[in-house]
Amino acid sequence: MSKRSNSEVGMKKDTHLTSTSVALNRRRFSLGLPLLAAGAAAPQEVVAAKAPSRDEAPIVTYYRTKTIDGIKIFYREAGPANAPVVLLLHGFPTSSHMFRNLMPELADRYHVIAPDYPGYGQSDMPDRATFSYTFDRFGELVDGLLDALGVKRYAMYVMDYGAPVGWRLALKHPERITALIVQNGNAYEEGLKEFWDPIKAYWSDHSQEHRKALYVLVAPETTKFQYTDGVADVSRVDPDNWVHDQALLDRPGNAEIQMDLFYDYRTNLPLYPQVQAYFRKHQPPTLIVWGKNDKIFPADGAYPYRRDLPKVEFHLIDTGHFALEDKADEIVPLIRHFLNRKIAS
């Protein structure tokens, strides 16, 4: 803004400012304000946060499919092809749909890719008799997708199920990981609290009784709970989220797929020491943006990252499981500032 005194600014200037404020791009405006308040942004980054020209075209997201090992994998893609890559890995029970608002916020400077796992979103849902619904398999298919797209280095945003998928990629290709953004994604047993007790009971004996007890986790009230619990202002959460997710969960056979994955989640725990060793050895730049009111992955699972990543940038956000849905105005500036410092070319 101009540094002229108020006496030099007449009614014409006030009118101009009013019309300009209407024209401001909401995304850039919401980015710049919190960074200034926090005193975190360097001057050139504040300039980069200013609104683009009114004539600038909006970010375009592409909706694409590639066949990997005979499975059609759907993915969203946006941003310059030669820009640093940010891989977005979704959680349960959603899909790349959870990143629909984040992608345009990053794609001006980054090449953003968000796949759907098999059985989720728009990807294939192969029969359980011929396809193993495991986190190992998901990791292999995402790795195959990245190879097919020619992606050799990338930052990862991991959330919920996206964490065990992402950790498998990091353990296989540690040299490819440029940075980590962790949002309610577990890598420590401290993060598996009371919510997990019925799932652990199923792990203990793989019984039909314990399997049936988990069907409540794919019921409509639970899907809505994941979006609304721990949220101060539910009017900030789009109800299309749980309607969209539930419609996909209700597809014939999908509930059984989810039960298979609940059982396979047990395979992640033995990987935690390896993941933690990866953190200690490679020290990837890491940003934690964690919904602190989440009952599924509570903040107990966020704090241990600081043991192995002493330089981690750590933020507990006053929200629940799907933190982006109501707190994007807080989280997006943190992500952009982090990526701009750590991976921007």
Side-chain angles (χ1 to χ4, degrees):
M1 292 179 62
S2 171
K3 295 185 178 178
R4 288 180 295 171
S5 68
N6 289 339
S7 62
E8 295 175 295
V9 181
M11 183 67 70
K12 240 172 139 179
K13 182 67 175 174
D14 291 336
T15 304
H16 173 69
L17 281 174
T18 301
S19 63
T20 302
S21 67
V22 173
L24 280 172
N25 177 283
R26 177 193 60 77
R27 169 162 60 90
R28 299 289 183 232
F29 185 65
S30 67
L31 168 63
L33 219 68
L35 289 181
L36 286 169
Q44 64 269 26
E45 289 165 332
V46 174
V47 170
K50 288 183 179 178
S53 163
R54 293 182 64 179
D55 296 329
E56 184 176 321
I59 298 292
V60 175
T61 299
Y62 296 89
Y63 306 91
R64 293 171 165 149
T65 301
K66 277 206 177 288
T67 299
I68 309 297
D69 292 348
I71 306 295
K72 290 182 180 178
I73 300 297
F74 172 88
Y75 62 100
R76 300 168 193 244
E77 187 172 22
N82 61 348
V85 173
V86 180
L87 175 67
L88 308 177
L89 296 174
H90 70 81
F92 165 85
T94 187
S95 62
S96 61
H97 179 264
M98 72 168 280
F99 298 118
R100 68 201 180 282
N101 297 323
L102 178 62
M103 292 185 71
E105 304 285 359
L106 302 180
D108 60 330
R109 297 191 68 176
Y110 303 100
H111 181 184
V112 191
I113 301 169
D116 292 348
Y117 318 133
Y120 293 84
Q122 303 298 319
S123 286
D124 274 353
M125 190 180 78
D127 193 296
R128 295 168 56 239
T130 58
F131 180 85
S132 296
Y133 283 91
T134 67
F135 291 94
D136 280 348
R137 196 73 184 103
F138 285 2
E140 290 167 0
L141 289 168
V142 173
D143 192 34
L145 174 66
L146 294 173
D147 283 346
L149 296 177
V151 174
K152 297 302 181 186
R153 285 177 60 78
Y154 48 91
M156 291 195 299
Y157 183 124
V158 299
M159 185 268 175
D160 190 283
Y161 278 9
V165 175
W167 302 151
R168 283 162 170 78
L169 296 175
L171 292 175
K172 185 177 181 180
H173 305 294
E175 75 287 353
R176 296 187 181 183
I177 309 303
T178 58
L180 297 173
I181 301 162
V182 183
Q183 188 253 297
N184 299 75
N186 208 45
Y188 298 86
E189 288 201 44
E190 292 98 315
L192 301 178
K193 307 296 280 188
E194 292 83 1
F195 180 89
W196 289 84
D197 288 347
I199 302 173
K200 290 178 179 179
Y202 182 38
W203 296 346
S204 71
D205 61 7
H206 202 202
S207 69
Q208 283 300 309
E209 178 185 0
H210 284 135
R211 184 180 178 97
K212 288 178 181 178
L214 300 182
Y215 288 132
V216 67
L217 299 180
V218 296
E221 59 270 21
T222 305
T223 304
K224 182 177 180 180
F225 160 88
Q226 293 197 60
Y227 282 98
T228 59
D229 188 68
V231 174
D233 184 355
V234 177
S235 70
R236 299 187 69 165
V237 181
D238 185 350
D240 287 348
N241 280 300
W242 53 85
V243 173
H244 170 274
D245 289 354
Q246 195 62 44
L248 294 172
L249 287 172
D250 288 344
R251 290 176 292 174
N254 193 268
E256 296 306 319
I257 288 170
Q258 304 308 327
M259 298 305 117
D260 290 350
L261 284 161
F262 291 144
Y263 186 65
D264 190 67
Y265 199 94
R266 76 196 191 286
T267 65
N268 298 322
L269 277 66
L271 286 183
Y272 287 167
Q274 298 176 50
V275 173
Q276 294 156 21
Y278 157 75
F279 293 157
R280 289 191 297 271
K281 178 178 179 180
H282 294 276
Q283 293 294 306
T286 302
L287 171 69
I288 302 282
V289 279
W290 198 290
K292 68 179 182 179
N293 307 325
D294 187 6
K295 290 186 176 67
I296 302 169
F297 290 112
D300 305 67
Y303 293 110
Y305 281 91
R306 300 194 291 195
R307 291 201 301 256
D308 298 313
L309 295 165
K311 295 182 180 179
V312 65
E313 299 181 25
F314 190 89
H315 303 271
L316 293 182
I317 312 296
D318 186 18
T319 187
H321 189 61
F322 285 110
L324 282 173
E325 291 302 326
D326 70 315
K327 294 295 184 178
D329 56 337
E330 293 183 29
I331 294 173
V332 169
L334 294 171
I335 292 174
R336 283 188 61 91
H337 185 52
F338 171 75
L339 293 176
N340 291 351
R341 288 180 289 112
K342 300 300 182 181
I343 73 166
S345 58

